[in-house]
Amino acid sequence: MKQLRSLLFAAVMAGSLTGAPALADGPRDRGPRGEEAPPRMREQERAFEATREGRSMPLPMLERRVMPMMGGADYLGPELNGDTYRFKFMQNGRVIWVDVDGQGRIIRRSRDR
């Protein structure tokens, strides 16, 4: 009986440690002074619009242009930072960041010493 009580207590404690996650705030309708805030486009929507309007290449095409220049480094994935993509590579235990604009030009590359 004492073991059952200990087991039940441990289960209740474990359950209480995994409480409900905090909810994120919803979108705000008002600016700092209470006026209507202009709708902001999310980064992925801006990237889609730029591709649709011909100002930017699709992500797979950008990846195909950059990956051959990376000399066998493992590609870990992209990030979108404003109007540029940041590709993350790993080579010899070091992370290499490559910033690319929408036309496929390399803007910046972290040092890989």
Side-chain angles (χ1 to χ4, degrees), residues 35-93:
E35 70 271 2
E36 287 284 327
R40 292 190 307 171
M41 276 188 156
R42 292 179 21 193
E43 285 186 346
Q44 66 191 45
E45 291 169 346
R46 281 199 336 246
F48 173 75
E49 287 297 319
T51 302
R52 192 173 63 94
E53 294 170 1
R55 293 181 286 123
S56 178
M57 289 187 221
L59 177 61
M61 189 178 291
L62 292 171
E63 291 170 334
R64 283 192 301 269
R65 284 187 122 185
V66 173
M67 289 177 71
M69 297 179 220
M70 294 309 298
D74 294 323
Y75 179 54
L76 302 178
E79 291 179 5
L80 183 58
N81 295 323
D83 293 334
T84 62
Y85 284 95
R86 176 167 280 181
F87 296 139
K88 184 177 181 181
F89 293 88
M90 178 78 79
Q91 189 171 36
N92 300 326

Side-chain angles (χ1 to χ4, degrees), residues 19-31:
L23 299 176
D25 292 335
R28 295 185 176 166
D29 298 328
R30 303 276 176 205

